[in-house]
Amino acid sequence: MNTYIKDAESLEDEGRLTEALAAWEVAMASDTSSYSLSRYALAALELGMVEKAVSALTAACERSTTSSSSHSMLGSIYLDLGEPELAREWEERAIEVDPTPIAYTLLGVALAELGQKQPARWSYQQALALDPDYEEALYNLAVTYLPDDPTKAIELLAKAIEIDPEYAIAHRELGRSFLECQEPEQALEHLREAISLDPEDSWSHVYLGNAFWALGLPEEAEDSFFEAIKTDPEDVLAAWAIAFYYDQQGRSDEAEEFYRKALAIDPDHFVSNRDYGKFLLEKGDPENAEIYLKKAQELDDCEV
């Protein structure tokens, strides 16, 4: 093995990432394979140097025609960057080189983000044909059935959790699915488990609040919604959830405060614009209500 590669690997093993990155850069000069480029990219990602990682992976893809890992990793980065079209292109290239469950699953995620639900399902199903126990594909396939077919989602998520009992977001979405099926007690079980596995997931706290609310426990619901905001003050779903809760409780001042907070976080949040418009209409402020209801309509049309 190239001495420079050994040095870079040793530095990584010791947790000296900045030095390892420099060592990988030296190794790349004498390594004709794509290995050093890919390892350099991984180290760069660990250090938050996304542009360097993208550049190295692009070069690795050009150099290697027999491995799909660099292509798939590049697609994954573009997903994280919010560029699903580029992610789709790289995952399709990865599949051409080597059709793996990971590449098919990431392609499905990209397609889902592009609003192509049926092609996304097909891609997840291809992943599961290759590996029936691939929990990531099961989870992502399940999400495509929410909220239209929560029973199907429950079936898939239950299998994912059977494979990995500590799969936090699968527990969360299973709880959400039970809520859609009007089964809040079963939802409660999985949402509590999701929070025990990942206390920082604000969406789990929101769904737990909804479960308590459905069970007629308003104080517990309010506590859960506030825990969601405490966990992530910039989560628009958490701000909207407590605003809607206060709205339904007739607590107008508090509802308005959190509707405004939700819209400050994301002015283009469809549900917050819609519900705040309705709130203002009921409050007797049709002029301002029209502004938000019109914005909601425009956002809804864009989604279609």
Side-chain angles (χ1 to χ4, degrees), residues 67-186:
S67 172
S68 71
S69 60
S70 297
H71 298 71
S72 195
M73 195 189 309
L74 195 50
S76 178
I77 291 172
Y78 280 122
L79 277 174
D80 290 340
L81 291 173
E83 298 189 46
E85 184 58 46
L86 283 172
R88 180 191 63 77
E89 291 177 14
W90 283 105
E91 295 306 336
E92 286 178 345
R93 293 185 195 184
I95 289 165
E96 286 176 9
V97 175
D98 183 15
T100 66
I102 293 173
Y104 271 119
T105 299
L106 290 171
L107 174 60
V109 173
L111 290 167
E113 291 190 9
L114 290 166
Q116 299 177 35
K117 184 184 290 186
Q118 292 302 327
R121 284 180 182 168
W122 174 87
S123 197
Y124 298 139
Q125 287 160 353
Q126 296 306 302
L128 291 167
L130 293 169
D131 182 359
D133 293 331
Y134 189 39
E135 66 270 27
E136 293 286 338
L138 285 163
Y139 164 78
N140 282 288
L141 180 58
V143 170
T144 68
Y145 286 99
L146 279 169
D148 301 327
D149 189 353
T151 302
K152 179 67 174 178
I154 287 170
E155 174 193 333
L156 294 164
L157 290 164
K159 185 174 180 182
I161 289 168
E162 184 180 339
I163 295 164
D164 181 2
E166 296 187 353
Y167 198 171
I169 56 173
H171 279 286
R172 182 192 75 196
E173 293 305 306
L174 187 51
R176 177 188 170 197
S177 301
F178 278 123
L179 280 173
E180 293 286 347
C181 290
Q182 309 298 316
E183 297 183 48
E185 289 186 358
Q186 287 184 276

Side-chain angles (χ1 to χ4, degrees), residues 216-251:
L217 299 168
E219 290 182 7
E220 288 85 347
E222 184 175 355
D223 288 344
S224 293
F225 292 140
F226 266 108
E227 192 61 35
I229 292 172
K230 180 182 173 183
T231 300
D232 185 357
E234 295 304 308
D235 185 351
V236 66
L237 177 66
W240 167 80
I242 197 163
F244 185 73
Y245 168 79
Y246 283 140
D247 193 352
Q248 297 302 299
Q249 298 293 313
R251 294 162 65 175

Side-chain angles (χ1 to χ4, degrees), residues 56-69:
L57 285 170
T58 303
C61 292
E62 292 171 355
R63 187 174 294 183
S64 173
T65 58
T66 59
S67 172
S68 71
S69 60

